[in-house]
Structure formats: structure tokens, C-alpha cells
Amino acid sequence: MIKFLAIIVLVAIGIFLYMRAQRLAKEELMQSELKREQHASSADSISGAHGVSSDKVVESAVVPKAAEQGSLPEPVTQEDEADNDVAAMPLPVPSAFSTDEITAYLSHVNSARGYQLLLGLINQCYRQRKQPDILAWGARLLPRFNQEVSLLKQQDKAALVGAGHMQLATLLADSGHYSEAIAVCVDAQTLGLKDGTVTGFEGRLTRIRRAQAKAR
């Protein structure tokens, strides 16, 4: 009887901790979105004061066609997350992704499980990269990806797989962020990862550099 009661108590504690983690993650996501909205509102006010249309300060998706027409893509750096804490995600999140998917990742951020969940998000972006908003959002996952990979390099290097590097490099290159895509491929080579193709990351680097030269 005592063992049965102990099991019930442990299950109840587990459920409580799980619900608490989800609630904290949702609150964290809402706070991040509020900060980004406040930042965008400030930018609108500044642009209005100088007679600049607010449409020009809103970040837009950048595709290779835009680069061919002379407009350069904005760099994808950690500055994308400057107004958020380490668990923040790029906002707005495309409607193709559910709140549960984002919350699940934020509940396991900076861990082997978090890395796998992030790879799932990157994979979805890779498969739906023909949609501009998803392509742009996927490219902006670079800071999160770098942080997860950096952690696993120290704690569980064997958990790293080449598919994540390959798919993110493709998202970056298709968005016109060639330098960042090259860096991701070089990192994969350094780690000894494979992308599942005959030419590997070496061939991918050659193709990206060729596209970069053509876009200049």
C-alpha cells in the first residue's frame, strides 16, 4: 500500500514539474514577443520622426533573387537575439509551426534533447523552404543552432549529426547568407560530419562559393 501511494505521489510530482516547465516556457515566449514588439514600435517612432516609412525598417525575407537585383541580405548573427534571453526564438514564428513545437524546444534548450528538437524545426524549414517566411525564419535559427552545437562539442560530441549542418547551410545559402552558410559547412568539416552526398561538405562549399561569386 505504501509503495502504491509513493508511486502516485511521484507521478503527481512528475506531472506538476512537466506542467510548470511548459507554463514557464510559454511565459518566456510571450515575454520575448512583447520585447520584440516594443523594439519594433520604437523603430517605427524613430523612422516616423525622420520621415522614413516604417515599412523600410521591418525585416523582410531575403532570397537569392533579391541579391541578384542589387539588395544585400541582412547578416544573420547573435544580434537577432539581442533583445531576448538565451532561450528566445526568432519572432514572429511562422504559422506552420505550433506553439507546442516551440514550447517543447524551449523546455529542453541547451541539451542533447534540445539539439534534436531544434534539428526537427530546421528540417521542417528545409522541407518548406520554397515559402519565403519559413526560409527566412529557418535561416534566423543560426544563433540557436550555434549555441546548441557549441554545448554538445563540450558535453556529447557524438550526438552531433551532419544533417543539421547541411540543412541549415542550405537555408542560409538560399536566403543569400553565403558567408554564414560557408561557416556552417566548415564547422561540419572540422567535426568530421557527413551530409549524405557523394561530394560531402567539400562539394557543398564549392557550390555555395560559386553562388556567392555569381551574386556579387
Side-chain angles (χ1 to χ4, degrees):
M1 183 64 180
I2 295 177
K3 288 184 178 180
F4 180 72
L5 290 174
I7 291 173
I8 293 178
V9 170
L10 290 174
V11 170
I13 292 173
I15 293 174
F16 169 76
L17 292 175
Y18 174 76
M19 296 298 292
R20 181 173 179 271
Q22 281 204 327
R23 177 177 59 80
L24 291 174
K26 288 181 179 179
E27 290 177 354
E28 194 171 76
L29 185 61
M30 291 176 65
Q31 290 176 357
S32 297
E33 186 171 359
L34 179 59
K35 290 180 180 179
R36 184 59 61 91
E37 289 176 353
Q38 291 174 342
H39 180 71
S41 177
S42 298
D44 287 343
S45 299
I46 294 173
S47 63
H50 292 278
V52 180
S53 171
S54 60
D55 292 339
K56 294 183 180 180
V57 298
V58 177
E59 181 177 355
S60 60
V62 182
V63 297
K65 288 184 179 179
E68 293 174 3
Q69 295 171 355
S71 59
L72 297 176
E74 295 182 10
V76 182
T77 66
Q78 196 67 38
E79 292 178 1
D80 281 335
E81 309 303 327
D83 296 326
N84 306 313
D85 55 30
V86 293
M89 295 290 282
L91 297 173
V93 177
S95 59
F97 298 90
S98 68
T99 301
D100 289 342
E101 290 176 299
I102 303 300
T103 301
Y105 167 65
L106 292 177
S107 298
H108 296 85
V109 69
N110 295 337
S111 68
R113 177 59 178 161
Y115 169 71
Q116 291 297 328
L117 290 170
L118 183 61
L119 290 190
L121 296 175
I122 291 174
N123 178 256
Q124 287 190 59
C125 292
Y126 176 78
R127 288 187 286 107
Q128 302 179 61
R129 64 187 183 278
K130 297 301 182 183
Q131 300 183 42
D133 62 326
I134 294 180
L135 174 65
W137 190 75
R140 293 182 63 214
L141 290 175
L142 177 62
R144 295 267 11 105
F145 180 80
N146 283 341
Q147 186 162 340
E148 296 289 355
V149 170
S150 178
L151 184 71
L152 286 184
K153 284 179 181 178
Q154 303 173 24
Q155 298 182 357
D156 190 8
K157 190 175 179 180
L160 295 170
V161 295
H165 281 72
M166 180 273 287
Q167 292 176 351
L168 182 58
T170 299
L171 293 171
L172 289 164
D174 286 358
S175 297
H177 301 296
Y178 300 110
S179 297
E180 289 82 355
I182 289 171
V184 170
C185 291
V186 170
D187 185 56
Q189 283 187 311
T190 302
L191 292 167
L193 302 178
K194 307 297 181 182
D195 68 355
T197 65
V198 176
T199 58
F201 281 102
E202 183 177 353
R204 192 171 299 279
L205 274 168
T206 299
R207 293 190 294 274
I208 293 173
R209 284 169 175 152
R210 187 183 300 130
Q212 183 182 41
K214 185 179 179 180
R216 287 174 177 170

